Every structure is written in C-alpha cells, then in structure tokens.
C-alpha cells in the first residue's frame, strides 16, 4: 500500500514560515529580557562601587555572551588587562568593547544596555559594525538619539534599534539612573528627563542646592543596589 503525500501548498508554506518566525521572535524576546536584566544587575553593581548606574552585555548571533561591561567612571583605572576606569569615557559599552578583540561577523551581534547609548558608544557600535542594540530605558539628554536620530546617522543606519521593549525594566532602569541625571546633567538635561519620565523624576525634583536630599536619595538607590547584588 502506498501513502499519498499531499504537496505543500503556498498557504501551507506561508503558515510554516510564519510559525518559525513567531517561534524565533519568542526566543529573541526571552533572550532580550534576560540580557537587559543582566545589564541592570551590572548597573546596580556600578552604583555600589561609586560609578554611574549603567551596565552592558554583548552577545553573538547564537545568543552567547561574549563580553560584559559597566560604567567605571568613578573608580581607579583597573590593573586588570583590558579594563578601563577613572575617565569620562569609561562607559559601560566602552568597557565591554575593550574586553574583546576584533569581532568576526559583528553584524550578527547584539549590544544590550541598561540605558540608551551616548553618541560616543553609539559611534563605536557603528564603527565596529554591531548589527543590533537593545536598551532598557531612554536617555533623553545624554542618549545619541537627542543629537541625531539613530536611523539618520550614517554610522547607525545598519543598526537595528530596539528601545525599551519591557515596561517594567524601563521603569527600573529609569529609577536607577534618575538621581544620576539630576546630579550630573545641566538644567536642560534634567528638564528633558522630567518630560520623558515625570513620575519617576518627581522623587528627585528638588532644588540643586539641597545636597542632603539628593545624597539621601542616592544612598537609597545604593542600598537597594547592594541588596540585589
């Protein structure tokens, strides 16, 4: 007896392809969340060390972590090879880039950050050729997008941008960075943050001369960071 095998129709082929696309999206969604959570862990650790609360993870096309970094601007220059510190360019993304050698097929790599990368770090991604970036929350003042849209800069046009895909992680990241934005950004920068995240910034919306209030707020963030690390 012979079994009659039905030839796959165009509709069947479309459904089969769509199913695999959906499965791939679910897998990417899960990975994106896990990596952003890790970047937030690194950001909290940076706060506990006296640096700015930003963390970064870089993964290859298979989802394997190849490098991690965190802001180290408030820490001494590390004696460990390929680790930076004590500098205005000791950003989380640059720390991650310094730890790895030249990337093979960088277009398949994804950079995750707890905060929208600045122009320097975004430019580094463009020069290296990283194909995708995902961040937990916007930086309406220090983020590269304030100066030039990510899809308009010649170095960024080939980078797939996924901005704050998870509302709960966006809030967590914004709450973590808000006191830093209040401390280091000029009045215009803080105003941009107030406009973008008004509810979160309200807790830190105190006169700049009220140093004790700001310090207490930052201590609260640091205590929470130590509990989570």
């Amino acid at each position: 007896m012979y079994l009659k095998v039905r030839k796959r129709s165009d509709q069947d082929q479309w459904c089969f392809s769509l199913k695999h696309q959906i499965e791939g999206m679910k897998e990417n969604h899960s990975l994106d969340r896990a990596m952003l959570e890790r970047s937030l862990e690194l950001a909290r650790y940076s706060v506990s060390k006296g640096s700015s609360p930003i963390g970064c993870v870089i993964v290859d096309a298979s989802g394997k972590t190849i490098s991690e970094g965190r802001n180290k601007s408030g820490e001494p220059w590390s004696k460990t090879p390929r680790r930076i510190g004590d500098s205005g360019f000791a950003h989380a993304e640059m720390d991650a880039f310094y730890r790895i050698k030249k990337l093979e097929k960088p277009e398949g790599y994804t950079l995750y950050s707890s905060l929208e990368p600045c122009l320097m770090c975004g430019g580094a991604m463009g020069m290296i050729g990283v194909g995708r970036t995902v961040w937990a929350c916007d930086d309406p003042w220090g983020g590269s997008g304030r100066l030039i849209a990510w899809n308009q800069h010649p170095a960024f046009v080939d980078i797939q941008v996924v901005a704050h895909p998870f509302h709960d992680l966006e809030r967590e990241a914004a709450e973590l960075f808000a006191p830093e934005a209040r401390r280091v950004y000029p009045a215009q920068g803080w105003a941009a943050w107030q406009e973008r995240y008004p509810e979160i910034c309200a807790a830190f919306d105190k006169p700049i001369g009220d140093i004790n209030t700001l310090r207490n707020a930052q201590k609260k963030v640091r205590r929470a960071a130590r509990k989570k690390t």
Side-chain angles (χ1 to χ4, degrees), residues 180-195:
E180 183 75 358
R182 179 69 176 113
R183 184 179 70 85
V184 301
Y185 286 165
Q188 307 99 298
W190 181 239
W193 263 80
Q194 288 176 303
E195 182 179 358

Side-chain angles (χ1 to χ4, degrees), residues 1 5 18 36 49 66-67 82 123 160 180 196 201 203:
M1 181 176 71
V5 179
L18 180 61
L36 286 179
K49 289 292 187 178
I66 62 167
S67 186
R82 296 182 176 274
Q160 179 188 354
E180 183 75 358
R196 179 67 180 85
C201 290

Side-chain angles (χ1 to χ4, degrees), residues 92-119:
E93 297 89 342
M94 302 306 289
D95 183 37
F97 284 140
Y98 270 97
R99 298 181 68 185
I100 53 180
K101 298 179 180 180
K102 185 176 181 180
L103 300 179
E104 296 294 334
K105 298 182 179 180
E107 64 276 5
Y109 287 64
T110 298
L111 182 146
Y112 296 91
S113 181
S114 61
L115 187 73
E116 178 186 357
C118 69
L119 188 62

Side-chain angles (χ1 to χ4, degrees), residues 160-173:
Q160 179 188 354
V161 174
V162 181
H164 44 79
F166 306 100
H167 179 69
D168 59 327
L169 298 185
E170 178 183 15
R171 183 178 182 86
E172 182 179 347

Side-chain angles (χ1 to χ4, degrees), residues 34-47:
M35 293 301 101
L36 286 179
E37 288 176 341
R38 175 56 182 161
S39 73
L40 284 165
E41 289 178 5
L42 292 166
R44 287 191 291 268
Y45 185 69
S46 284
V47 175

Side-chain angles (χ1 to χ4, degrees), residues 19-32:
K19 179 182 178 181
H20 277 261
Q21 288 181 36
I22 293 174
E23 290 175 349
M25 289 172 63
K26 288 181 178 178
E27 184 176 346
N28 285 339
H29 195 70
S30 178
L31 178 64
D32 287 352

